[in-house]
Amino acid sequence: MRVLVALGGNALLRRGQSPDADVQQNNLRASVTSLARLAERHELIITHGNGPQVGVLALESSQDPNLTRPYPLDTIVAETQGMIGYWLLQALQNALPGRQVAALVTQTLVSAVDPAFENPTKFVGEVYSQEEAEKLAQEYGWTIKQDGRYWRRVVPSPTPQRLVETRLIGRLVREGVLTVCAGGGGIPVIRNEKGRLQGVEAVIDKDLTGSVLAEALEADVFMMLTDVPRVARNFGTPQQEDITHTTPHQLRAEKFPAGSMGPKVEAACRFVETTGDMAAIGMLDEAERILEGMGGTIVTPNATWPLASTL
């Protein structure tokens, strides 16, 4: 079975933790165990988030006195793709001796006139108090928004159209290579007036890119692994209610935060509506249970779990 996993960036850098590389690598090594078990039984493609890491590196670039201007976001996305891809590559090679693993730097096409460029919504970087965030916004010209109890920087997040390297990724997967790609949603690029690829200031949502890639690669399952066990109605309130099995129609009748669960729900709905296959949202260490229908939120056209006969 072909499974595309979108791994949340908070698997590497959790709230309140130091952004030091060794902290993130330790978190990743603990996370890779679940992915390695999936890869032993299924054809696996892995994407990953980079929101915390992009924010950290963008802040460092803004503060570097040797730069005449900070590195643009497309370049920082490329940098984090290489960094996190290397960590995943090495961790997976150590967990799966003899298995061919590749980590690619990939570009994602977006529209130059996407309205997201005028309305930043994608959270990047560390969390701050409102006072700290407002001070940084004034100093660096950031746009900030509230993220739960905290405040964070937000940047444009245009809709992904297609990965430039889709055919190459497909070839690697068909050859049995465990492939890491589309990190951080992919490096955001447009085709300019001359038809050439050109980077843009944005960070694409990794889950929406994952949905586009899962469809293009004809994945049987598109799974988003994060730090919450399930999608929930009224999350964080006394009325919270977990959703186990559902349909795109039912999910679209609910309301979810635009900066966090909303894109995951939208990505799941798009994949299921387009392919008729299964999407899921849940915790990384429950990946196998999710495929068994015993964990996470499973989204299918008819709210049933259809894969038992294929495992």
Side-chain angles (χ1 to χ4, degrees), residues 258-271:
S260 53
M261 188 56 71
K264 290 179 171 54
V265 168
E266 177 62 23
C269 290
R270 289 187 190 187
F271 177 76

Side-chain angles (χ1 to χ4, degrees), residues 69-171:
R69 68 182 184 92
Y71 288 137
L73 284 173
D74 59 306
T75 297
I76 293 176
V77 171
E79 184 177 1
T80 56
Q81 269 197 16
M83 177 178 71
I84 299 170
Y86 157 61
W87 292 341
L88 276 167
L89 176 71
Q90 190 174 83
L92 288 164
Q93 287 172 329
N94 287 335
L96 297 164
R99 182 72 181 271
Q100 292 296 306
V101 186
L104 305 181
V105 173
T106 55
Q107 305 164 93
T108 301
L109 282 166
V110 302
S111 169
V113 295
D114 193 305
F117 287 109
E118 304 300 322
N119 179 32
T121 59
K122 174 67 175 174
F123 289 114
V124 298
E126 300 181 70
V127 297
Y128 304 99
S129 68
Q130 183 175 358
E131 182 180 357
E132 290 174 319
E134 289 175 347
K135 180 179 178 181
L136 289 167
Q138 184 174 11
E139 184 174 356
Y140 298 114
W142 291 355
T143 301
I144 59 169
K145 290 185 179 179
Q146 190 168 5
D147 181 15
R149 295 187 295 114
Y150 301 93
W151 290 72
R152 296 176 73 188
R153 182 187 179 187
V154 289
V155 300
S157 186
T159 301
Q161 306 293 323
R162 178 179 171 84
L163 268 74
V164 175
E165 296 80 13
T166 295
R167 291 187 180 92
L168 172 61
I169 297 166
R171 183 174 178 179

Side-chain angles (χ1 to χ4, degrees), residues 4-24:
L4 191 144
V5 169
L7 178 64
N10 46 20
L12 300 175
L13 184 58
R14 295 153 193 165
R15 288 188 175 182
Q17 286 190 318
S18 163
D20 291 345
D22 55 350
V23 172
Q24 297 182 65

Side-chain angles (χ1 to χ4, degrees), residues 48 50 53-62 67 69-84 105-108 153 155 183-184 186-190 197-204:
H48 60 80
N50 69 343
Q53 294 79 16
V54 161
V56 169
L57 294 180
L59 180 58
E60 288 180 357
S61 179
S62 297
L67 297 177
R69 68 182 184 92
Y71 288 137
L73 284 173
D74 59 306
T75 297
I76 293 176
V77 171
E79 184 177 1
T80 56
Q81 269 197 16
M83 177 178 71
I84 299 170
V105 173
T106 55
Q107 305 164 93
T108 301
R153 182 187 179 187
V155 300
I187 302 163
V189 297
I190 60 169
L197 294 173
Q198 176 182 317
V200 290
E201 279 278 295
V203 175
I204 304 170

Side-chain angles (χ1 to χ4, degrees), residues 18-54:
S18 163
D20 291 345
D22 55 350
V23 172
Q24 297 182 65
Q25 287 183 282
N26 286 336
N27 289 343
L28 182 60
R29 279 190 285 268
S31 302
V32 157
T33 302
S34 293
L35 297 176
R37 287 198 297 263
L38 285 183
E40 288 174 345
R41 299 180 59 191
H42 304 292
E43 203 172 53
L44 192 63
I45 307 103
I46 300 172
T47 73
H48 60 80
N50 69 343
Q53 294 79 16
V54 161

Side-chain angles (χ1 to χ4, degrees), residues 211-282:
S211 177
V212 169
L213 183 60
E215 177 191 347
L217 296 178
E218 298 185 331
D220 301 291
V221 178
F222 171 44
M223 188 156 44
M224 289 162 278
L225 301 179
T226 182
D227 58 351
V228 295
R230 288 184 174 90
V231 180
R233 299 182 184 92
N234 306 309
F235 180 76
T237 73
Q239 291 75 41
Q240 179 171 320
E241 180 184 359
D242 287 348
I243 300 172
T244 54
H245 295 69
T246 187
T247 69
H249 180 75
Q250 291 167 343
L251 277 181
R252 290 193 185 281
E254 307 282 348
K255 291 187 180 298
F256 300 98
S260 53
M261 188 56 71
K264 290 179 171 54
V265 168
E266 177 62 23
C269 290
R270 289 187 190 187
F271 177 76
V272 176
E273 288 167 343
T274 303
T275 66
D277 291 317
M278 168 183 152
I281 302 170

